[in-house]
Amino acid sequence: MRAAVVVRPGQPPSLADRGEPTAGPGQVVVDVAAAPITPLDLLCAGGTSYFGVPETPYVPGVQGVGTVDGRAVWFPTTAGMAPGDGSMAPKALARQEDLVFLPAVDPVLVAALGLSAVAAYMTLQVGGLVAGESVVVLGCGAVGQSAIQLARLLGAGRVIAAARSASARERAVRAGADVVVPLEDVGVAGQGADLLIDPLFGEPAATAARALRPGGRWVNLGGSAGETSPVTSSTLRSKSLRLLGYTNNELTAQQRAEAVSVIARYAAEGALTVDHEVVPLADVSDVWHRTGHGRVVLAM
């Protein structure tokens, strides 16, 4: 079969012949329909992640959507994090226990939402969102778009989105945020907010944290604006803020499956979406680092 293959860490994958996988104990072969290119895929294939340099050649793709015995499924893989191939091929291996069976829903949309939407959903849970509260969401990539919509679906009274670029702010408007501002204005727009969803860290997060109400919660799930943040001890102490960290890697298979099921149900109902584009698998090299068009989803 023709699959996307990373030959050398740091270089985009290219299309190459790869033998079809054979299921071992506890495994199934998935007929893949769609596989997204995610930041985790890029990080792992770049060879600079905390998982170490991946063994090459390998098929990337940490998640995908396809069918098993004719039933639609979402599935994860450990491609780039451990030896073995991932989802960017017509057929892929998955652990039976990791399969999440899906309702009647667009497989490309579920692939585009995937673990980004799971992270958005879980940070709202970890942050203890209560109906009627106000939520600040930093950034408006796949996580940010999902967090805006999910906050509303889970009962938030007001959602404030802050993003750097005009195009990202347009996405936030489409996602349904009540207030949308440039990152530098989040300190004013988010004044008195209850919960901060932060995939950026850095200066934007410090500014947003200063705007939280006393007893507010700040959930960090990324560092795309900086690995350190100039938040002061007095900011944390004077407001008795709760700073929480989140990673999908700590989810159990059951927790992840439950979150994916919620995401898929909302998607099937037309209540949750994310900007994305569909690209043939053959074009993987050309779109590997593409930005500005939403989440890229490879169609097999």
Side-chain angles (χ1 to χ4, degrees):
M1 65 179 182
R2 299 288 279 173
V5 177
V6 174
V7 176
R8 181 176 300 172
Q11 294 185 352
S14 54
L15 209 62
D17 289 322
R18 197 77 168 171
E20 292 192 4
T22 301
Q27 294 180 317
V28 295
V29 176
V30 181
D31 292 311
V32 183
I37 300 175
T38 69
L40 181 56
D41 292 308
L42 300 179
L43 183 65
C44 289
T48 58
S49 79
Y50 50 78
F51 299 107
V53 179
E55 292 184 12
T56 55
Y58 79 99
V59 176
V62 298
Q63 59 185 308
V65 176
T67 58
V68 173
D69 296 329
R71 299 182 64 187
V73 298
W74 175 92
F75 66 99
T77 83
T78 57
M81 296 174 274
D85 289 338
S87 61
M88 296 182 188
K91 294 182 182 292
L93 284 181
R95 296 196 309 170
Q96 177 76 48
E97 65 187 84
D98 288 336
L99 298 180
V100 181
F101 291 94
L102 301 174
V105 63
D106 178 6
V108 169
L109 176 55
V110 175
L113 288 162
L115 291 170
S116 293
V118 166
Y121 176 74
M122 292 304 302
T123 53
L124 291 164
Q125 304 296 315
V126 169
L129 176 64
V130 175
E133 288 189 324
S134 58
V135 180
V136 173
V137 178
L138 299 183
C140 202
V143 171
Q145 291 173 69
S146 299
I148 291 167
Q149 296 166 83
L150 288 165
R152 181 70 72 211
L153 289 166
L154 296 173
R158 189 165 181 258
V159 181
I160 303 100
R164 188 177 307 281
S165 68
S167 60
R169 293 193 292 273
E170 289 172 4
R171 289 195 293 271
V173 170
R174 293 197 300 273
D178 296 292
V179 178
V180 180
V181 298
L183 281 176
E184 58 267 25
D185 294 336
V186 70
V188 174
Q191 199 63 231
D194 301 285
L195 176 61
L196 168 61
I197 303 300
D198 165 36
L200 303 185
F201 213 50
E203 180 63 46
T207 301
R210 289 192 289 269
L212 288 173
R213 67 160 174 82
R217 292 95 65 201
W218 168 11
V219 186
N220 173 262
L221 66 154
S224 59
E227 278 299 306
T228 60
S229 179
V231 64
T232 62
S233 173
S234 60
T235 297
L236 294 172
R237 290 182 292 108
S238 65
K239 292 190 174 187
S240 296
L241 298 183
R242 281 181 280 166
L243 173 57
L244 305 160
Y246 174 78
T247 172
N248 279 340
N249 290 335
E250 289 194 354
L251 294 178
T252 65
Q254 181 177 348
Q255 289 173 321
R256 184 178 57 210
E258 290 173 352
V260 170
S261 295
V262 170
I263 297 308
R265 175 168 55 82
Y266 282 138
E269 294 170 353
L272 181 62
T273 189
V274 66
D275 281 9
H276 62 278
E277 65 168 327
V278 187
V279 176
L281 177 64
D283 295 343
V284 61
S285 297
D286 296 333
V287 300
W288 187 247
H289 291 293
R290 178 178 288 181
T291 58
H293 293 74
R295 176 59 45 84
V296 175
V297 179
L298 300 172
M300 301 307 136

